Amino acid sequence: MERRYQVFVSSTYHDLTEERLEVIKALLELDCIPCGMEYFPAASEETWNYIQNLIDGCDYYVLIVGGRYGSMTASGVSYTRREYEYALAKGLPVIAFLHGSPEDLPAKKTEQSSGGRKKLEEFITLVRKHLCKDWSTADQLGAVVSRSLTQLIKRHPRTGWVKADALASSEATEEILGLTRQVKDLQIQLAVLQAKPPEGSELLAQDTDVVTLQFWYDVVDSSKARNKIDYNLGRETGRFELTWNKIFARVAPVVALQASETSVKNAIVRLINDKFDWSWDALPPNAEVTNITLAKETVNLLRIQLVALGLITVERGEYSAIPQWGLTKLGRDKMFAVVSVKRAENKSTPKTTTRKNGTRKRAV
């Protein structure tokens, strides 16, 4: 946001009119707002309160000292010194510019009385205790002020002035930045929460707890498959017990990049087909099992339980009504723990295998 700084220029008046003009030009080139008492050269006690208010409203204070001490108050202190001391007391960033060779100045630009010269020397001694620069010509003074004030602004940034219409956009920008920081904080908090099990999930069945899967299947007579006569021997109900870890180990890789609930059911059906013991006496000769279908209640149970444990997300499909399953951050961590291959405890002795021809192959 563009800012303009108000700078109070303090100096004696009649002897430094050309120099003040160069300083004001330099300030305007820096997009600063010059402020001073050049329009009130005959300072008085009545104008002092006005001067104080002007200084209070400025961002920086510039003092120019030539060969004169200036008009004095009733207490014997010049208004220029009084302004300088007031600016210091207010904590305003102050920089002074002293003439390097006051003895070379024309007589009309110097103090004629010994008392005035003494007070000027005392003032210069005070000024040199603080930040100050020397100058010799009006042109040089403008350049020195420009460079010095630029550095002062960098070291001591101030509030400055902004346009009213820019202020509104600035406030909006600050609000946006604040909201952006808030969003980032909330994202961090959300990531932490997503990596933890939901509150109360420790009371739910999980890990090595056993769940009973209910499914349907058809029994067919493979010897009559060609003519289809009495091919289907009936629809049967089966139940199979598995731990939640084994179920999740089969489901997680399928839904790692999101998958439909149909794909999940197919994965569990393959698990049942692989692990279930179909060798029971009730099956007739030449009987085969086909069309294994998970019970709807079982699918609902698996979906609800895995969501409640914070392991999966379920969303409606974009192009179909079939729910889409995906892994949460906690679910991915769980998948790595349950499915990934662990290192062998002893790697020092490679295993050997025997080929059919009797030769031995060493593992590498």
Side-chain angles (χ1 to χ4, degrees):
M1 180 176 56
E2 184 179 358
R3 298 177 185 269
R4 291 178 179 265
Y5 298 105
Q6 188 163 311
V7 182
F8 192 93
V9 181
S10 178
S11 73
T12 52
Y13 182 70
H14 292 292
D15 59 316
L16 294 175
T17 53
E18 183 182 355
E19 288 77 5
R20 287 181 66 88
L21 181 60
E22 289 297 326
V23 170
I24 290 173
K25 286 168 57 179
L27 294 178
L28 291 173
E29 289 174 356
L30 293 175
D31 289 332
C32 292
I33 304 170
C35 178
M37 294 307 298
E38 57 267 29
Y39 298 111
F40 300 90
S44 64
E45 290 296 330
E46 287 73 20
T47 61
W48 175 244
N49 289 335
Y50 181 72
I51 295 173
Q52 286 179 306
N53 291 333
L54 282 178
I55 295 175
D56 291 341
C58 290
D59 299 291
Y60 300 94
Y61 180 95
V62 168
L63 171 67
I64 307 170
V65 178
R68 297 190 62 180
Y69 184 60
S71 302
M72 290 185 287
T73 65
S75 61
V77 178
S78 71
Y79 281 97
T80 304
R81 177 167 182 169
R82 192 174 183 184
E83 292 169 358
Y84 179 73
E85 291 177 336
Y86 180 77
L88 289 175
K90 295 294 291 186
L92 211 63
V94 172
I95 186 168
F97 300 91
L98 307 176
H99 197 285
S101 305
E103 66 277 3
D104 295 335
L105 289 170
K108 62 180 180 179
K109 293 189 176 184
T110 62
E111 287 291 340
Q112 300 301 308
S113 66
S114 59
R117 288 193 295 271
K118 182 178 181 181
K119 287 182 178 293
L120 178 60
E121 290 173 0
E122 291 174 352
F123 184 32
I124 292 175
T125 300
L126 170 65
V127 172
R128 289 203 178 276
K129 293 180 180 179
H130 303 278
L131 182 63
C132 62
K133 301 283 186 177
D134 288 345
W135 62 277
S136 57
T137 66
D139 291 339
Q140 183 194 39
L141 177 62
V144 172
V145 168
S146 179
R147 293 194 302 269
S148 301
L149 189 61
T150 299
Q151 294 300 318
L152 188 64
I153 291 173
K154 288 182 179 179
R155 292 197 303 269
H156 303 283
R158 301 282 288 181
T159 305
W161 298 88
V162 296
K163 291 183 177 180
D165 56 351
L167 182 61
S169 62
S170 173
E171 291 176 348
T173 301
E174 289 295 330
E175 184 177 359
I176 291 172
L177 291 175
L179 291 174
T180 301
R181 288 190 291 268
Q182 185 177 354
V183 168
K184 289 183 178 180
D185 291 340
L186 291 175
Q187 288 174 336
I188 294 173
Q189 295 177 28
L190 179 61
V192 172
L193 291 175
Q194 288 177 337
K196 294 181 179 179
E199 186 176 353
S201 62
E202 67 278 1
L203 302 177
L204 303 178
Q206 57 191 294
D207 297 336
T208 57
D209 295 325
V210 175
V211 59
T212 300
L213 306 182
Q214 183 178 352
F215 58 95
W216 305 94
Y217 61 94
D218 290 332
V219 178
V220 298
D221 187 344
S222 59
S223 65
K224 300 177 180 180
R226 289 186 177 182
N227 53 28
K228 303 295 182 181
I229 301 175
D230 297 328
Y231 173 69
N232 196 323
L233 301 180
R235 187 77 166 163
E236 302 291 341
T237 301
R239 288 177 174 79
F240 188 35
E241 292 185 344
L242 284 171
T243 65
W244 284 102
N245 273 352
K246 288 187 179 296
I247 294 174
F248 185 71
R250 180 58 66 98
V251 169
V254 176
V255 302
L257 298 177
Q258 198 173 71
S260 68
E261 190 166 276
T262 301
S263 300
V264 176
K265 290 189 289 186
N266 292 338
I268 297 176
V269 164
R270 288 194 296 271
L271 177 62
I272 294 173
N273 194 37
D274 292 343
K275 302 296 183 181
F276 189 72
D277 184 9
W278 300 104
S279 61
W280 49 291
D281 297 338
L283 283 177
N286 301 318
E288 289 186 1
V289 173
T290 186
N291 296 331
I292 303 172
T293 306
L294 282 178
K296 185 176 180 179
E297 295 77 9
T298 295
V299 176
N300 291 338
L301 171 63
L302 296 179
R303 184 194 317 113
I304 293 171
Q305 192 76 1
L306 293 177
V307 170
L309 293 172
L311 300 177
I312 68 166
T313 60
V314 178
E315 301 175 357
R316 182 170 295 278
E318 184 177 358
Y319 302 107
S320 70
I322 300 175
Q324 300 291 309
W325 289 33
L327 287 181
T328 63
K329 172 65 168 61
L330 181 64
R332 288 194 296 272
D333 295 341
K334 178 80 171 179
M335 178 181 67
F336 297 145
V338 173
V339 180
S340 57
V341 179
K342 308 299 186 296
R343 293 185 63 184
E345 294 183 2
N346 188 354
K347 286 283 187 177
S348 59
T349 305
K351 295 181 179 180
T352 58
T353 58
T354 303
R355 302 180 187 270
K356 290 183 179 180
N357 59 6
T359 61
R360 297 172 67 84
K361 178 183 177 182
R362 184 177 181 179
V364 294

